[in-house]
Each structure stands twice: as C-alpha cells, then as structure tokens.
C-alpha cells in the first residue's frame, strides 16, 4: 500500500514509521522544512525509545521518506492519514482546535487522484471526519474518496511496542472499499490475531475520547483512594493489588502519583466535556476526574510542605524527574510544572534532574532552578528529595550515597517506587502516596 502521512509530530512519525516497518511505502509530509531536513538527515526531533533505529532502517530500505511536497505524495496514495495537531483551543474553553485538520483537508483535496481513503488519526471531536469530507468535496467535487476514523492508542515512551502489539485497532468507516484498504494496511497484525473493531465514523471518534477519559478517571480514582489511605494508615499499593486482580477492574492504571499529565489526558478530558455540554449533557464523572487531578497536584505541594515542617522557605528540595512520565522528554502538562513553581514562589531552593527532559523543562519551568548532571549531584545538600517521575535511573539509587550527599533525610516518593519500611530502616523520613 502507498500511504501518505500528513504531520510528522509524535503520532504521525511513529505511525508512519511503523507502517513502513509493516512493509508499506510511506511518505511523511510536513510543512516545517527544518523538521523535514532534520528527518532526512536521520535525526529524530522527539525522544521515543526505538524510533530512531526504525526510522533509519526503513529509510535505508526505501519504504519511508520525508518531504514538504504534499501534492505528489497525495496523488499516489491509497490512503492519506491526517496526524496533525489538535491542541486545546487558545480561547481556553477546552475545545479542540481543528484549524490544522481543516487546513490539511483543504490542501489535500486538489491533489487526490484515483480512489483514496482519508483517515483521521488525530484525536478529533465527533463529526470532524464528516466535516473533512465536506471540505474535500467543496474544494474538489470530482474527487473519489471516503473518510475514515482510526484513532491511536499509543503511549509515549512505549509507542512502538503499542503499535506493533495493540490490544485492538478501531476503524470507523462507511464503505467497503475504505474498509478493504484499512484491513490491508493492518494485515501484518492478523498474524497475532489483533482484533479489528469496525464501527461507524462517529463511534470511532468518540471511542478515542472515551478510552482516554476512562483511564483518567481510573487514575483520579486511585489518587483519591491513596489520599484516604494516607488518612487511615492503609496501604494503597496492596489495595490496588487487591482490587486490580479482579478481572472486571484490571490492575493497570491503578498507580497513584502526583496527577496525570501529558499531551492527551488533560486535553482530551476537557474536549470530551465540551462535546457533551454542546449536546446538553454533563459528563459528571469526567468532570470530577479533572477536578481531582488538579487537586492532586496541590495536595502534593502540601505533602512536601508538611514534610518540611510546614514551610519550604529557605529549604533545598531536589527533584528527580520532571517529565510527565518516564521514557519521554515531553513536559506538556507535567505535574512538575505546577508543583515546582508553587514551592519556588515560597522561597524554596530547587535542584532538579531528568534523564531526557531537562532541555524541554527549561521552557516550561521558571528561572531559578538549578539543573544537575545526575541524581546524586541533584541531592547534594538537599533537605528533601522528591521522586517526581519513575525513570529506571531512579529505581535503584545508591541510598547510602544519596544520604551522604543530602543535608536532610526526607524522601518524598510521589511514584511509590521504594518500600516505605526499607526506607525507614535506611534512616530516611519517607512518604509515598497512600503508603502511610
Ligand atoms: C495516553 C494513553 O495511555 C494512550 O492510550 C493514548 O493513545 C494517548 O494518551 C493519546 O491519547 O495519545 P500517554 O499520555 O502517552 O498515553 O501516557 P500514559 O502512559 O497513559 O500516562 C498518562 C499520565 O497518567 C502520566 O502522567 C502518567 O504518569 C499517569 N499515570 C498513568 C498515573 O498517574 N498512574 C497510572 O497508573 C498510569
């Protein structure tokens, strides 16, 4: 199959590369000349484990190419995937900004030749694919095409594995011709019997939002339960095991922490709430999850303050990890962006380290943070250490060395990486989330 991917952001780049790895011929198009140049030179603008090797391999084998020339790429394609950004609108009302999607539709339309499926990969409000179809028809009434929705469920940091071994593939479409093309594209997954869930277009669009909203709810639920565990002296990790082994609940996404972040859950929960409101409904459980998530970050600030005897002023706090999760350099909506400035404002001295995210972090965090080379340098003279992101590098710290470097003994583990009892035995004043 000949596939053209519009947009070389996170989703476009990973999806395009993995399709090429499946054996298809993929052209990734982007308007950003600098980015295309970088990609052609074999450099990857984002940090995603395994992606560089796969890009290099498929570029060498001539199944993957990058260009700014949209017209030629669209003309030869069996399927054009749209993977452009849908950020929250600048109005701050939670709606997804569809400017890039509609712009892409207008640009694709005149160049379509022969039958083509236009596939929405971006997370878009229900009805967007139909609007895309309307735009294409307006611009090029003679075009022979169908639209489809094929939402992605990739996690940053694990995107290649998620793509190659998905739990399911959702395709929303209305024509057999489009279905045949999409089934052909995903054919390599048949070997591992990946289920393909075929729906109408609107259902596929909504499925994506519902999946992310459900996961966000699950995290907010366990975060609230963790706070209750803190109050009652119960242990949330054992509790999560106790409920998670029930197949109806499932053990994944029951890890409490400083609140979910990233480019998806915060944006998609808000967008879904707005979609529902437009249709006269309130998604009260989603609204609660969003509120709980904001409160969780504030509660983490309080937890740190309480551990420092009620005041962070003049104290040195060492942050291990800044990104919203490990194995990414992404700082979008990372809890660190809320928690660190709140402490800095009240006069704390902040030192920080992140294995991949420090360059990005500088763009999101205020001046005045001291960035260190490694975990131990970060903890030097610290009154308290806050383990913010569960990078592997922080999972087996040399605790004796850490304690030697520190001035105090407080260890606040916002990801519950360490065992409370062992930390206490080592001499730390330890707090996890829901592990009292
Ligand atoms: C999420 C979804 O997991 C993907 O399925 C989806 O495709 C993607 O959004 C998207 O819409 O593009 P991602 O944001 O990359 O993926 O990361 P997750 O692994 O889901 O983590 C999101 C946030 O939840 C992180 O801040 C993480 O620390 C937090 N989290 C996750 C918890 O606090 N506890 C958990 O148990 C799991």
């Amino acid at each position: 199959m000949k596939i053209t991917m519009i947009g070389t952001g996170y989703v476009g780049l990973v999806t395009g590369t993995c399709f090429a790895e499946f054996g298809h011929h993929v052209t990734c198009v982007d308007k950003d000349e600098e980015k295309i140049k970088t990609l052609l030179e074999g450099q990857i603008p984002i940090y995603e484990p395994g992606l560089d090797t796969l890009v290099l391999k498929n570029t060498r084998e001539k199944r993957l190419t990058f260009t700014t020339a949209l017209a030629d790429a669209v003309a030869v394609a069996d399927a054009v995937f749209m993977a452009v950004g849908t950020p929250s609108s600048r109005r701050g009302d939670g709606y997804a900004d569809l400017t890039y999607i509609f712009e892409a539709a207008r640009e694709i339309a005149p160049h379509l030749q022969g039958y083509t499926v236009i596939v929405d990969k971006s997370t878009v409000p229900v009805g967007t694919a139909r609007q895309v179809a309307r735009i294409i028809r307006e611009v090029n009434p003679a075009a022979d095409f169908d639209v489809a929705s094929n939402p992605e469920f990739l996690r940053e940091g694990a995107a290649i594995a998620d793509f190659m071994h998905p739990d399911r593939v959702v395709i929303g479409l209305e024509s057999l011709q489009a279905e045949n093309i999409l089934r052909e594209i995903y054919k390599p997954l048949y070997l591992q019997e990946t289920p393909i869930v075929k729906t109408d277009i609107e259902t596929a669009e909504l499925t994506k939002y519902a999946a992310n909203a459900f996961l966000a709810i699950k995290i907010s639920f366990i975060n609230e339960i963790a706070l209750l565990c803190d109050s009652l002296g119960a242990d949330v990790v054992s509790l999560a095991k106790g409920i998670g082994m029930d197949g109806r609940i499932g053990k994944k996404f029951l890890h409490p922490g400083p609140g979910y972040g990233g480019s998806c859950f915060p944006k998609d929960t808000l967008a879904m709430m707005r979609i529902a409101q437009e249709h006269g409904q309130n998604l009260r459980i989603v609204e609660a999850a969003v509120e709980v998530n904001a409160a969780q970050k504030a509660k983490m600030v309080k937890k740190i303050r309480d551990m420092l005897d009620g005041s962070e002023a003049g104290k040195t706090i060492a942050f291990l990890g800044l990104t919203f999760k490990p194995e990414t350099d992404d700082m979008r909506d990372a809890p660190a962006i809320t928690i660190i400035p709140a402490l800095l404002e009240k006069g704390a001295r902040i030192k920080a380290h992140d294995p991949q995210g420090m360059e990005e972090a500088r763009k999101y965090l205020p001046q005045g943070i001291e960035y260190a080379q490694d975990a131990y340098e970060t903890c030097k003279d610290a009154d308290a250490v806050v383990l913010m992101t569960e990078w592997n590098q922080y999972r087996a710290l040399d605790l004796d060395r850490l304690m030697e470097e520190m001035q105090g003994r407080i260890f606040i583990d916002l990801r519950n990486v360490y065992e409370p009892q062992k930390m206490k035995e080592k001499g730390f004043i330890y707090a996890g989330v829901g592990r009292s």
Side-chain angles (χ1 to χ4, degrees):
M1 286 274 139
K2 289 205 174 73
I3 298 172
T4 292
M5 187 64 60
I6 312 289
T8 57
Y10 190 83
V11 174
L13 195 54
V14 171
T15 309
T17 307
C18 290
F19 279 152
E21 180 68 12
F22 278 180
H24 302 303
H25 287 268
V26 181
T27 308
C28 293
V29 183
D30 205 294
K31 282 184 172 168
D32 186 338
E33 283 180 22
E34 211 38 54
K35 203 169 181 189
I36 292 295
K37 198 168 147 248
T38 312
L39 284 163
L40 284 170
E41 284 163 3
Q43 286 168 42
I44 313 298
I46 52 166
Y47 175 73
E48 177 63 34
L51 185 60
D52 47 359
T53 320
L54 223 52
V55 168
L56 213 65
K57 174 174 175 246
N58 284 281
T59 315
R60 275 206 199 114
E61 292 170 7
K62 303 210 180 311
R63 286 190 304 272
L64 179 64
T65 182
F66 301 96
T67 181
T68 52
L70 178 133
D72 297 346
V74 168
V76 297
D78 298 300
V80 175
F81 280 75
M82 298 211 287
V84 296
T86 52
S88 280
S89 134
R90 291 220 185 110
R91 296 186 302 270
D93 52 13
Y95 282 102
D97 178 354
L98 298 177
T99 317
Y100 302 116
I101 290 270
F102 295 151
E103 211 172 272
R106 257 176 237 112
E107 285 168 13
I108 291 164
H111 308 294
L112 292 168
Q113 277 181 31
Y115 178 79
T116 317
V117 196
I118 316 293
V119 192
D120 246 334
K121 251 292 166 209
S122 310
T123 302
V124 288
V126 180
T128 304
R130 267 185 222 289
Q131 279 178 277
V132 165
R134 193 175 40 74
I135 292 171
I136 296 177
R137 236 176 269 120
E138 267 168 27
V139 178
N140 182 357
D144 183 14
F145 73 100
D146 280 307
V147 290
S149 163
N150 174 217
E152 57 86 17
F153 301 103
L154 310 174
R155 285 164 306 163
E156 287 188 23
I160 309 276
D162 283 353
F163 195 96
M164 297 297 181
H165 304 280
D167 290 336
R168 79 311 202 182
V169 171
V170 175
I171 50 174
L173 33 72
E174 283 169 350
S175 91
L176 189 60
Q177 214 172 351
E179 185 180 339
N180 287 341
I181 290 181
L182 276 163
R183 284 194 186 273
E184 189 61 32
I185 288 172
Y186 282 105
K187 205 169 175 182
L189 295 178
Y190 291 179
L191 282 177
Q192 63 203 47
E193 296 179 358
T194 302
I196 300 231
V197 181
K198 191 192 114 187
T199 69
D200 58 69
I201 297 171
E202 281 73 17
T203 305
E205 288 172 335
L206 192 57
T207 301
K208 167 65 193 217
Y209 281 113
N212 273 2
F214 190 86
L215 293 170
I217 290 165
K218 212 172 169 189
I219 297 167
S220 278
F221 173 79
I222 202 67
N223 279 341
E224 273 204 320
I225 297 293
L227 295 177
L228 186 59
C229 285
D230 272 338
S231 307
L232 297 174
D235 180 49
V236 75
V237 172
S238 307
L239 180 148
K241 268 191 206 149
I243 61 170
M245 282 177 188
D246 183 329
R248 293 170 300 175
I249 296 174
K251 59 185 179 207
K252 292 183 183 164
F253 276 68
L254 282 179
H255 305 288
Y260 59 75
S263 65
C264 305
F265 291 168
K267 166 175 80 75
D268 293 349
T269 42
L270 290 185
M272 196 185 190
M273 278 156 51
R274 294 292 169 261
I275 294 167
Q277 279 161 11
E278 263 185 3
H279 290 81
Q281 274 193 48
N282 285 336
L283 295 178
R284 286 183 295 154
I285 296 179
V286 182
E287 285 169 15
V290 171
E291 267 173 42
V292 167
N293 198 53
Q296 185 72 2
K297 297 179 202 169
K299 286 186 173 141
M300 294 305 108
V301 174
K302 183 168 180 311
K303 185 186 270 290
I304 296 167
R305 182 172 299 141
D306 288 349
M307 291 291 283
L308 288 162
D309 290 333
S311 172
E312 61 271 44
K315 309 266 171 61
T316 301
I317 310 174
F319 276 84
L320 299 183
L322 296 167
T323 49
F324 82 99
K325 61 184 267 187
E327 297 303 335
T328 178
D329 60 353
D330 200 338
M331 282 295 295
R332 284 176 287 178
D333 267 312
I337 300 173
T338 310
I339 295 170
I340 291 180
L343 298 164
L344 201 60
E345 244 171 51
K346 296 273 181 206
R349 175 187 175 213
I350 305 285
K351 297 177 78 183
H353 174 258
D354 189 280
Q356 293 292 338
M358 292 206 283
E359 205 182 311
E360 279 298 299
R362 284 175 211 270
K363 301 180 198 159
Y364 286 83
L365 293 170
Q367 303 273 314
I369 293 161
E370 296 165 43
Y371 295 94
Q373 289 303 314
D374 62 30
Y376 303 100
E377 192 192 315
T378 318
C379 296
K380 192 167 170 38
D381 300 330
D383 294 288
V385 174
V386 178
L387 203 168
M388 188 76 193
T389 317
E390 68 279 32
W391 284 91
N392 282 338
Q393 285 88 332
Y394 307 142
R395 284 179 184 272
L397 292 166
D398 177 343
L399 296 170
D400 295 320
R401 186 172 161 203
L402 198 81
M403 191 158 316
E404 268 169 37
E405 297 287 356
M406 288 175 70
Q407 174 172 287
R409 289 183 299 133
I410 299 168
F411 194 107
I412 305 162
D413 183 357
L414 298 187
R415 300 288 181 168
N416 292 342
V417 167
Y418 288 91
E419 270 308 312
Q421 194 50 38
K422 286 198 184 128
M423 294 302 275
K424 279 172 202 157
E425 281 163 17
K426 276 272 171 209
F428 284 101
I429 303 168
Y430 176 88
V433 184
R435 306 219 66 190
S436 50

